[in-house]
Amino acid sequence: MPESPVSHHARQMTDDEGGMPEQQQAPPGLTAAMDPVPDHGEASWEGHGRLEGLKALITGGDSGIGRAVAIAFAREGADVAINYLPEEDEDAHDVAGWIEKAGRTAVLVPGDLREEQACEDIVARAVEGLGGLNIVVNNAGFHWARGEEGLKGLAAEDLERAVRTNLYGTLWISRAALKHLGRGDCIINTTSVQAYDPSVSMIDYAATKAALNNVTANLAAELGPEGIRVNAVAPGPVWTPLQPATKEPEAVAAMGKNTPLGRIAQPAELAGAYVFLASPAEASYVSGTVVGVTGGLPVF
Ligand code: NAD
Ligand code: MG
């Protein structure tokens, strides 16, 4: 039997005060360069057939939360396509290995979500490789933390990258997916605790996440009559490459200490929310809502 209590394992990976070692990478960041390497449920996730025979596309599925969701979905019986940036090829191939080890089909669709046509192509290639599409997880995201500089430190380039990746990417991927989704299928967006309690250092990012909450409610209204459910997960602080790639080392080390549970999450601890929302049986009447996985920070 694999070891199951992920949170116990996760606590062991943090220091006595709940923090991580100071470290830094360049965006988008890679998994192997992280110390410690995150826990994506490789040794712990047990499938129960909850997504048997379904086909899923996960953006940003190479690393972090997306990787944990890809592993859990495959073990629950889904074939999985992952999108990522070309420079993350190494991470993507590791994930494909885990999906195949679960006995499912893995489809790799690199591409930049900031481009409308790329989003169309990503969905088309995913559908071709999977032979259909039932679940879309909009998980890719970008932020750039500017310390306490706040608005004065906001550069056009960072704003553009955050809005295009997080908001445009989610809308374009969802629009391209619509013609393939039917009754019982679903879309899951990834927002953030930042949508509810924004940090001064991430005004643009927090705004995109608040916008994605709004998009989730709106799309749930539009697609409900077709039997398609739309929900979101709002993570709190999670140990993923995004953090050392976009924050100062001291800020990385402090992540999670402000939560009631007193520590940062491992990506594996996020997967359950996505599996629940994706499950046609368990979440059959769940749409238009946001599930917080925040270590106790409020999402209302
Ligand atoms: P991550 O770095 O592992 O994943 C983010 C992924 O986004 C990258 O792997 C990359 O493939 C993808 N991406 C970024 N820009 C892209 C682009 N232009 N085109 C295609 N793909 C692109 O980090 P993560 O923390 O797992 O992030 C996943 C999601 O979780 C993001 O939406 C993030 O905003 C959200 N989130 C993370 C935290 C956290 O503390 N880690 C907290 C709240 C929300
Ligand atoms: Mg990555």
Side-chain angles (χ1 to χ4, degrees):
M1 282 284 281
E3 190 187 322
S4 63
V6 172
S7 57
H8 168 70
H9 181 52
R11 267 196 298 275
Q12 286 178 336
M13 293 171 77
T14 60
D15 66 25
D16 289 347
E17 293 177 341
M20 289 292 183
E22 292 188 10
Q23 56 202 278
Q24 193 147 42
Q25 296 191 45
L30 288 173
T31 304
M34 294 181 73
D35 171 27
V37 170
D39 175 1
H40 311 92
E42 292 90 341
S44 56
W45 191 273
E46 273 185 69
H48 293 95
R50 285 179 280 197
L51 306 179
E52 198 61 49
L54 299 179
K55 297 166 189 309
L57 167 63
I58 305 169
T59 67
D62 61 300
S63 59
I65 296 167
R67 180 187 290 220
V69 174
I71 291 172
F73 275 19
R75 292 188 186 176
E76 295 291 345
D79 292 329
V80 182
I82 61 169
N83 158 253
Y84 52 96
L85 289 166
E87 57 265 45
E88 298 174 302
D89 217 40
E90 174 189 325
D91 269 350
H93 278 93
D94 285 350
V95 177
W98 285 111
I99 295 167
E100 284 161 1
K101 219 174 263 179
R104 309 307 311 188
T105 300
V107 180
L108 298 184
V109 283
D112 193 328
L113 297 171
R114 286 170 288 185
E115 301 301 329
E116 182 178 7
Q117 188 56 48
C119 292
E120 293 284 338
D121 294 346
I122 287 161
V123 170
R125 280 149 57 209
V127 168
E128 193 188 337
L130 294 169
L133 189 61
N134 307 108
I135 304 163
V136 176
V137 178
N138 288 304
N139 163 76
F142 178 76
H143 62 44
W144 187 253
R146 281 168 291 279
E148 294 314 308
E149 268 187 307
L151 186 58
K152 289 193 287 293
L154 180 62
E157 187 190 339
D158 300 337
L159 174 64
E160 175 97 358
R161 184 163 179 176
V163 176
R164 281 194 168 267
T165 307
N166 304 355
L167 181 58
Y168 287 27
T170 294
L171 290 171
W172 283 328
I173 288 287
S174 301
R175 190 187 63 188
L178 283 186
K179 52 182 172 294
H180 305 286
L181 299 178
R183 194 157 287 280
D185 294 341
C186 69
I187 297 174
I188 306 171
N189 296 325
T190 303
T191 69
S192 171
V193 69
Q194 287 288 324
Y196 305 89
D197 185 16
S199 296
V200 163
S201 60
M202 295 192 282
I203 191 169
D204 47 349
Y205 173 80
T208 66
K209 294 300 186 178
L212 288 177
N213 276 350
N214 188 276
V215 163
T216 301
N218 201 328
L219 271 183
E222 179 178 337
L223 302 179
E226 296 172 40
I228 299 169
R229 300 177 299 105
V230 184
N231 292 289
V233 175
V238 189
W239 185 235
T240 71
L242 181 68
Q243 303 306 340
T246 63
K247 284 185 178 154
E248 296 294 336
E250 313 80 65
V252 172
M255 279 187 72
K257 292 184 179 178
N258 65 330
T259 66
L261 291 183
R263 63 174 178 86
I264 194 166
Q266 291 296 325
E269 298 179 277
L270 275 289
Y274 289 85
V275 169
F276 165 66
L277 292 173
S279 165
E282 292 178 12
S284 55
Y285 200 59
V286 181
S287 193
T289 202
V290 182
V291 175
V293 186
T294 62
L297 297 172
V299 293
F300 50 83

